[in-house]
Amino acid sequence: MRIHMESLIFEVTLNIALLVLVATLLSKLQVIQTTISQERRSFAGQVFLAAVFGAVIILSVYTGIEVGGYNMNTRVIAAIASGILGGPVVGMYASMIGAVYVYFLSGDPAFAMASAFSTVLFGLLGGGFYPYFQRGKWKYRDLFFLTCFAEICDLVIILRMVNPFSLALETVMRAGPLMTVMNAVGILLFISSFNHIFIRQDIESSRQLQRASELAKRCIPLLGNGLRDKENMERLVGVLMESSGWTGVILTDKEKILAWEQKEEETEGQERQFWPGSLPGQDGQDQENRGREGAASLPEISEIPEIGREAMEKGELLIAYKVPKTSAWYEWMKDYSMIAAPFLIEKEAIGSLIVWTKKQWVFRQSDVELLQNLVEIASAQIALSELERQRMLRQQAEFKALQFQVNPHFLFNALNTISYVCRENSGRARELLVILAEYFRYNLGEGRYMVPMEEELKHVRDYLEIEKARFEDKLEVTYDLPETMDIRIPTLILQPIVENAVRYGIGRDGKRKVHIAAERDPGGIFVSVRDQGKGFQEEILEKLERGEPVGGSIGLRNVDQRMKRTYGEDHGIQISSTDEGSCVRLWFLKECRKETKEGEICGNDKDSSCR
């Protein structure tokens, strides 16, 4: 009995060694490596893996050892491995292939049904634990105990399904302990043969992430205006073609193709297929030009490929190896495979990126991951660009509102004042009309955001000249300004401050005294507007500090927000206020770090004081 047991151990060891050798050879095949490492595997890939592992199960049964009519074999290793490495679908189909062979072509018929049933169970067990063991993250202890559990289930099935019971019990007693231990050790060796696939996949994923990062550095600047800039989209497609191994790239929004490009390919000895959306011979020399010049002379694509529309509808990456015969892409897809990934902003598709390569068994996982990483980075950048665009549009709208919002009381008072002046001094009235016209021309100008300080002060002088005609000797305005003020400041930024001083700066003597001063500084120019009124109410200062509305839209809050947007959060207006009057201070920076399309600038923070 001892010699017989040693012989069985030797035979089982040989079978396991053979299975491990087969696993090692399989793991070296590129098509096996690529198919196993794919997370989004096509139906063809599933069938292929099921056929391969089904064949391995058949081999393990074929090389089994007959012991009293029962075939002692290593099918549990191949069946469980098919599920762990290929997933539930592969595990189920591979084990069913093996079960058919076991039932009809191997061993004693008394054991056929039990062995076939347990074979399917092995595949389902492996597939059920696929999420736990996937991508090479398994623990060998867990794998060992899973196989022991599968062998115990096999023994229980034999006891339940094999007749007579005495034959089943004898078989379990002789083969059970040996097969349980040997197969549990064997599956560790078998699975280990595929470890390098997942190690290589992790390395490749790291490389692709680095590659995607480098590619993103080149692509992100082209996405500053989202998908609206056609020129940048064409450049983006060119960058993708230059930096990838893809045969072609299509970039779309939700409705149309924005840009596309395709590499010129060798077509000697075969007829080039026409591009979808065009007909052979279109435009006379079309076929000849395409063969000679490649992508540059291809006719325009008429519509987004079906896979692109479907990817946008589902909001996920899709892979296509073929399309229906009714599709315009049917002939083209005989030679090519496509991947499409949508650009998503808040789960809403705004476009897609479609790439294709010459048809092969499966897409390389690196291509899929590169495309996925690119669209995720691009989607984030487009979202930021859209957010920035909305912010800029809001600022433009606020600026336009500021331009067109005229204090009706000021207009009424100005016209009323001029009408009185007409009776006494027609020449002065003409001057005031010209000044009023200049005032409104500046207010409703061409929409510049930044203007020379001299122009802004000229606008302030025009306003004050009209107010002086109204208040006469009850309004006193003094200036303390440098000779040159070579700096640009936001337009309409000073007039609201001066208007506030004229309106509320009434002193105890009933006069309105306004003093406007400017002093140069290495970083810019300090401007202060003083009055001798009763000062600001504490409530108004608190609201301004909290950023709450204060008065009308042309007022302190508006100026404060524009100063902060232009120069930074620490560069809002500064107000000092007492019962003897108030002083509003602004610091305009000279050197700019950043300039937007509106001319908006930012500068260094610095404390200022009233000058």
Side-chain angles (χ1 to χ4, degrees), residues 536-550 556-561 564 569-576 585:
F536 285 87
Q537 297 179 6
E538 190 66 28
E539 180 184 358
I540 293 178
L541 294 177
E542 291 177 357
K543 285 185 176 181
L544 186 64
E545 183 70 23
R546 296 193 297 266
E548 296 178 0
V550 180
L556 297 177
R557 179 172 176 267
N558 185 289
V559 173
D560 185 61
Q561 288 181 341
K564 289 179 178 178
E569 286 296 319
D570 295 332
H571 288 77
I573 63 175
Q574 296 184 18
I575 300 175
S576 58
R585 300 176 294 271

Side-chain angles (χ1 to χ4, degrees), residues 377-427:
I377 293 173
S379 295
Q381 178 60 31
I382 292 171
L384 290 175
S385 301
E386 186 63 24
L387 184 63
E388 178 66 14
R389 176 174 171 267
Q390 294 299 327
R391 186 186 70 85
M392 292 167 63
L393 288 175
R394 188 185 69 249
Q395 288 184 9
Q396 289 177 348
E398 290 176 355
F399 179 55
K400 288 296 182 183
L402 178 64
Q403 282 185 297
F404 288 102
Q405 186 170 1
V406 178
N407 190 324
H409 295 290
F410 169 74
L411 179 59
F412 173 79
N413 291 332
L415 293 176
N416 198 37
T417 299
I418 294 172
S419 69
Y420 280 110
V421 174
C422 285
R423 300 172 185 174
E424 300 176 0
N425 189 340
S426 60

Side-chain angles (χ1 to χ4, degrees), residues 222-484:
L222 302 176
L223 294 167
N225 294 326
L227 301 178
R228 296 178 297 277
D229 192 325
K230 181 174 178 59
E231 182 178 348
N232 277 348
M233 293 304 97
E234 291 174 350
R235 291 171 59 192
L236 177 61
V237 167
V239 169
L240 294 177
M241 289 294 295
E242 177 186 339
S243 305
S244 70
W246 296 324
T247 304
V249 175
I250 298 175
L251 187 65
T252 81
D253 60 15
K254 292 192 71 172
E255 304 297 333
K256 62 183 181 300
I257 290 174
L258 302 175
W260 62 276
E261 189 173 324
Q262 170 180 284
K263 289 181 180 177
E264 183 177 5
E265 298 180 1
E266 295 293 334
T267 57
E268 185 178 353
Q270 64 178 6
E271 181 182 354
R272 178 184 285 269
Q273 295 179 1
F274 66 85
W275 188 259
S278 67
L279 296 175
Q282 193 176 40
D283 299 329
Q285 300 296 321
D286 179 59
Q287 297 297 313
E288 180 182 350
N289 290 342
R290 284 192 298 173
R292 182 176 64 252
E293 300 177 8
S297 60
L298 285 170
E300 197 68 27
I301 308 174
S302 62
E303 60 180 24
I304 300 175
E306 289 89 340
I307 186 175
R309 295 190 180 279
E310 188 176 352
M312 286 188 284
E313 289 175 2
K314 294 183 177 181
E316 61 184 28
L317 183 144
L318 297 177
I319 301 175
Y321 298 95
K322 62 181 181 179
V323 294
K325 291 184 178 180
T326 55
S327 172
W329 294 79
Y330 178 73
E331 292 296 327
W332 188 262
M333 290 292 290
K334 287 182 178 179
D335 296 325
Y336 296 95
S337 300
M338 279 187 169
I339 314 177
F343 297 112
L344 299 175
I345 297 181
E346 295 183 353
K347 298 183 180 180
E348 179 73 20
I350 63 168
S352 67
L353 182 62
I354 306 169
V355 304
W356 66 91
T357 63
K358 290 291 280 185
K359 185 159 286 186
Q360 48 193 340
W361 271 94
V362 289
F363 260 111
R364 291 180 301 176
Q365 184 67 16
S366 58
D367 283 336
V368 177
E369 290 181 356
L370 176 61
L371 185 66
Q372 187 67 52
N373 289 331
L374 277 176
V375 296
E376 288 176 359
I377 293 173
S379 295
Q381 178 60 31
I382 292 171
L384 290 175
S385 301
E386 186 63 24
L387 184 63
E388 178 66 14
R389 176 174 171 267
Q390 294 299 327
R391 186 186 70 85
M392 292 167 63
L393 288 175
R394 188 185 69 249
Q395 288 184 9
Q396 289 177 348
E398 290 176 355
F399 179 55
K400 288 296 182 183
L402 178 64
Q403 282 185 297
F404 288 102
Q405 186 170 1
V406 178
N407 190 324
H409 295 290
F410 169 74
L411 179 59
F412 173 79
N413 291 332
L415 293 176
N416 198 37
T417 299
I418 294 172
S419 69
Y420 280 110
V421 174
C422 285
R423 300 172 185 174
E424 300 176 0
N425 189 340
S426 60
R428 177 59 176 163
R430 284 194 299 270
E431 291 178 5
L432 291 175
L433 285 173
V434 171
I435 292 173
L436 185 61
E438 288 293 330
Y439 175 86
F440 281 107
R441 182 180 294 113
Y442 186 88
N443 237 56
L444 307 176
E446 65 269 25
R448 292 179 299 166
Y449 189 84
M450 305 295 289
V451 295
M453 180 173 278
E454 289 88 346
E455 292 187 15
E456 180 69 8
L457 285 171
K458 170 65 168 56
H459 178 65
V460 170
R461 289 178 186 271
D462 289 341
Y463 165 76
L464 289 173
E465 194 67 26
I466 295 171
E467 291 290 68
K468 285 172 69 175
R470 174 189 171 195
F471 292 109
E472 296 180 337
D473 60 348
K474 292 185 178 181
L475 173 60
E476 296 179 6
V477 181
T478 56
Y479 299 92
D480 183 9
L481 305 174
E483 293 183 1
T484 59

Side-chain angles (χ1 to χ4, degrees), residues 7-247:
S7 177
L8 285 178
I9 293 174
F10 179 75
E11 292 292 336
V12 173
T13 301
L14 286 181
N15 287 351
I16 292 174
L18 175 62
L19 213 56
V20 172
L21 177 61
V22 170
T24 303
L25 293 175
L26 288 176
S27 68
K28 300 299 181 183
L29 297 178
Q30 182 64 43
V31 65
I32 297 292
Q33 294 177 2
T34 306
T35 309
I36 287 179
S37 62
Q38 274 195 318
E39 294 182 3
R40 297 179 178 87
R41 197 177 298 126
S42 67
F43 178 74
Q46 302 275 36
V47 171
F48 171 70
L49 279 185
V52 169
F53 281 105
V56 175
I57 295 173
I58 291 174
L59 176 65
S60 65
V61 175
Y62 180 77
T63 57
I65 308 162
E66 293 290 338
V67 178
Y70 175 69
N71 188 300
M72 292 180 59
N73 54 58
T74 55
R75 74 186 189 281
V76 64
I77 297 177
I80 290 181
S82 67
I84 289 177
L85 295 173
V89 175
V90 172
M92 180 178 66
Y93 287 131
S95 61
M96 289 178 66
I97 293 173
V100 170
Y101 178 82
V102 168
Y103 185 78
F104 290 104
L105 301 173
S106 70
D108 192 325
F111 293 95
M113 179 59 73
S115 297
F117 183 81
S118 61
T119 302
V120 174
L121 177 64
F122 297 154
L124 294 177
L125 270 176
F129 281 86
Y130 170 76
Y132 179 72
F133 288 114
Q134 65 178 333
R135 293 183 63 83
K137 306 303 181 185
W138 48 67
K139 296 179 181 178
Y140 288 103
R141 178 193 62 193
D142 299 337
L143 197 58
F144 180 88
F145 286 123
L146 176 63
T147 308
C148 289
F149 174 74
E151 280 289 0
I152 292 173
C153 290
D154 183 31
L155 300 178
V156 172
I157 291 171
I158 290 174
L159 291 174
R160 295 284 295 177
M161 300 183 66
V162 174
N163 289 312
F165 180 77
S166 57
L167 175 61
L169 182 61
E170 181 183 359
T171 302
V172 167
M173 295 298 294
R174 295 183 61 185
L178 175 64
M179 296 307 299
T180 299
V181 175
M182 295 294 288
N183 282 334
V185 173
I187 197 168
L188 302 182
L189 300 174
F190 187 93
I191 292 292
S192 296
S193 301
F194 290 87
N195 257 346
H196 71 92
I197 294 179
F198 302 101
I199 295 174
R200 183 183 65 87
Q201 183 182 0
D202 289 338
I203 294 174
E204 184 66 21
S205 296
S206 299
R207 289 176 179 171
Q208 286 302 105
L209 188 60
Q210 181 179 2
R211 183 182 174 194
S213 177
E214 293 173 354
L215 192 55
K217 291 179 182 178
R218 300 180 61 188
C219 296
I220 284 177
L222 302 176
L223 294 167
N225 294 326
L227 301 178
R228 296 178 297 277
D229 192 325
K230 181 174 178 59
E231 182 178 348
N232 277 348
M233 293 304 97
E234 291 174 350
R235 291 171 59 192
L236 177 61
V237 167
V239 169
L240 294 177
M241 289 294 295
E242 177 186 339
S243 305
S244 70
W246 296 324
T247 304

